[in-house]
Amino acid sequence: MSETILVVNAGSSSIKFQLFSVASGDRLERRLKGQIEGVAVKPHLIARGVDGDTLIDETWPAAEVKDVPAALDKVIGFLRAHIGQLPTAIGHRVVHGGPDYSAPTVITEAVLKRLDTYSPLAPLHQPNNLAPIRAVQARQPHLLQVACFDTGFHRRHPEVADRYALPQALYDEGVRRYGFHGLSYEYIADKLPSVAPDLAKGRAVVAHLGSGASMCAISAGKSVECTMGFTAMDGLPMGTRPGQLDPGIILYLLDQKGMSAKDLERFLYTECGLKGLSGISNDVRDLLESKDPRAKLALDHFVYRIALSAGMLASAMGGIDGLVFTAGIGENAPRIREAVVERLAWLGLELDAEANAKGGPRISHEGSAVACYVIPTDEELMIARHTLHVLRAQATNISREKSA
């Protein structure tokens, strides 16, 4: 039977998944993608093959799929029926690796317990990332599971970039700048040599713009700086998160508004960002269609902060050779790209309007001093690659132990 890698990205009420086959030469071929959403409310599983054909489209009563483990059971049951076996290994997106984990890591009980301690640093993500791992451990304890971290790509930053102006004891405890969306940035860094060979050797600012948004300075394929820091709340304004915030505002909300820590967590993760600014929606598509001046303010603020961050990241590298847009907004919102490039014209960026409307890959004029690209990200493929690498490393170690 052929080897397969299942990639899982779990949220609070949904599980997104993709299945890859391992072809000759360890080439990964995507076989299907799908998701189960509406967990505990209106559970709905849909999966499609690479040609777009629907493989399953099914709903259940809420009581039948009341949590993420039950949802994972439905996904695994579908996959077993579809491919006739369990996947060879499962790769999981885990948002926070903390100070201990930078490379893809085989999940053990000890690793899982350690990762759980980082849940307060990513309360919307980490617990949900870990839930399906626990479910598989309970049901299929011998199935290889690999955690792939959104913080991993940034872990080689120099200490001067990772430090906050806080006492040493807090840094030693792990209070430092980690950066996120690393799987996306790692994919872009791997893709650049085939799309823009010169930029791959140079200094690129990559904008991962989605409901969660950040930017990264990548020099010669390595992360130098990222707009996100200790948590996935820092940096750019996002769908419902505020981005960069004066810590004094937190003190004000605690002292003057009487908010508890839990009140603050809910407020900062779910009521701010584009949603808070506009009072309309956290979805850029809705805001682009709206005539409400608050929608324009939210988008103008979003673009303004992106442009400011581009200058900061260019400074971290001593210059900039190219700008790359990726993720949902970056790949699909030409008006946002145009507005960002317009603000960065002082860097020598010249937009090709026709290429931008078509989505690139290159959207700057040939004579532009700074090149500009749109490159679709593929975090799932990156996770599958990492998982396969770990799978092969384990097989090599077992072989060595047997021959020793």
Side-chain angles (χ1 to χ4, degrees), residues 13 31 38 40 51-52 110 125 135-136 148 162 169-170 184 201 205 221 229 234 244 267 296 307 314 329 393 395 398:
S13 62
R31 289 183 58 173
D51 55 0
H125 301 90
V136 172
C148 301
D162 278 354
L170 285 171
S184 175
K201 301 170 190 170
V205 170
D234 197 8
Q244 184 181 12
F267 175 70
K296 183 179 185 302
I329 299 168
I398 291 170

Side-chain angles (χ1 to χ4, degrees), residues 349-373:
L349 264 169
E350 297 179 43
L351 189 72
D352 182 328
E354 185 177 348
N356 183 46
K358 291 178 179 177
R362 182 173 177 131
I363 61 170
S364 55
H365 284 295
E366 287 298 326
S368 179
V370 175
C372 191
Y373 292 87

Side-chain angles (χ1 to χ4, degrees), residues 106-387:
V106 174
I107 293 290
T108 64
E109 189 58 37
V111 168
L112 193 54
K113 285 180 180 177
R114 187 62 179 158
L115 292 177
D116 204 22
T117 66
Y118 309 139
S119 291
L121 311 187
L124 291 190
H125 301 90
Q126 196 86 347
N128 299 314
N129 297 158
L130 302 183
I133 296 175
R134 287 195 175 92
V136 172
Q137 271 192 331
R139 293 158 175 77
Q140 302 291 338
H142 301 298
L143 186 57
L144 176 68
Q145 297 192 88
V146 178
C148 301
F149 303 104
D150 257 344
T151 50
F153 184 62
H154 307 295
R155 287 301 307 283
R156 294 177 182 85
H157 288 176
E159 185 177 346
V160 69
D162 278 354
R163 292 295 294 257
Y164 288 104
L166 294 170
Q168 179 71 35
L170 285 171
Y171 180 77
D172 293 340
E173 287 176 22
V175 180
R176 60 188 72 176
R177 295 180 56 82
Y178 291 100
F180 295 86
H181 294 131
L183 292 162
S184 175
Y185 293 127
E186 186 178 9
Y187 176 81
I188 297 300
D190 281 0
K191 191 73 176 176
L192 270 176
S194 62
V195 176
D198 290 340
L199 182 54
K201 301 170 190 170
R203 301 161 297 184
V205 170
V206 182
H208 176 106
L209 306 180
S211 179
S214 68
M215 295 171 70
C216 180
I218 299 178
S219 180
K222 306 296 182 186
S223 174
V224 172
E225 180 60 273
C226 182
T227 55
M228 281 182 168
F230 182 54
T231 71
M233 201 190 300
D234 197 8
L236 301 179
M238 296 166 244
T240 60
R241 287 169 265 171
Q244 184 181 12
L245 204 63
D246 182 339
I249 294 173
I250 305 298
L251 298 177
Y252 175 81
L253 294 174
L254 288 168
D255 184 49
Q256 300 300 314
K257 295 297 183 181
M259 284 189 174
S260 67
K262 277 297 176 187
D263 291 336
L264 268 174
E265 181 181 293
R266 183 199 59 78
F267 175 70
L268 294 172
Y269 275 100
T270 66
E271 298 298 327
C272 298
L274 299 179
K275 178 183 177 182
L277 269 173
S278 70
I280 298 169
S281 175
N282 64 324
D283 193 316
V284 163
R285 292 167 295 188
D286 295 337
L287 300 179
L288 286 169
E289 291 174 2
S290 176
K291 302 298 183 184
D292 193 310
R294 296 175 301 166
K296 183 179 185 302
L297 171 64
L299 293 176
D300 286 349
H301 179 77
F302 185 52
V303 168
Y304 175 69
R305 301 305 303 190
I306 293 168
L308 282 183
S309 295
M312 175 193 74
L313 294 171
S315 175
M317 298 184 290
I320 178 174
D321 301 306
L323 173 66
V324 178
F325 292 97
T326 193
I329 299 168
E331 295 168 24
N332 298 299
R335 283 170 56 188
I336 298 296
R337 296 195 299 259
E338 180 182 10
V340 170
V341 172
E342 196 172 278
R343 277 195 167 273
L344 295 174
W346 63 275
L347 282 172
L349 264 169
E350 297 179 43
L351 189 72
D352 182 328
E354 185 177 348
N356 183 46
K358 291 178 179 177
R362 182 173 177 131
I363 61 170
S364 55
H365 284 295
E366 287 298 326
S368 179
V370 175
C372 191
Y373 292 87
V374 178
I375 302 178
T377 193
D378 197 337
E379 294 159 292
E380 291 79 11
L381 179 57
M382 206 72 239
I383 293 170
R385 287 175 180 169
H386 285 315
T387 304

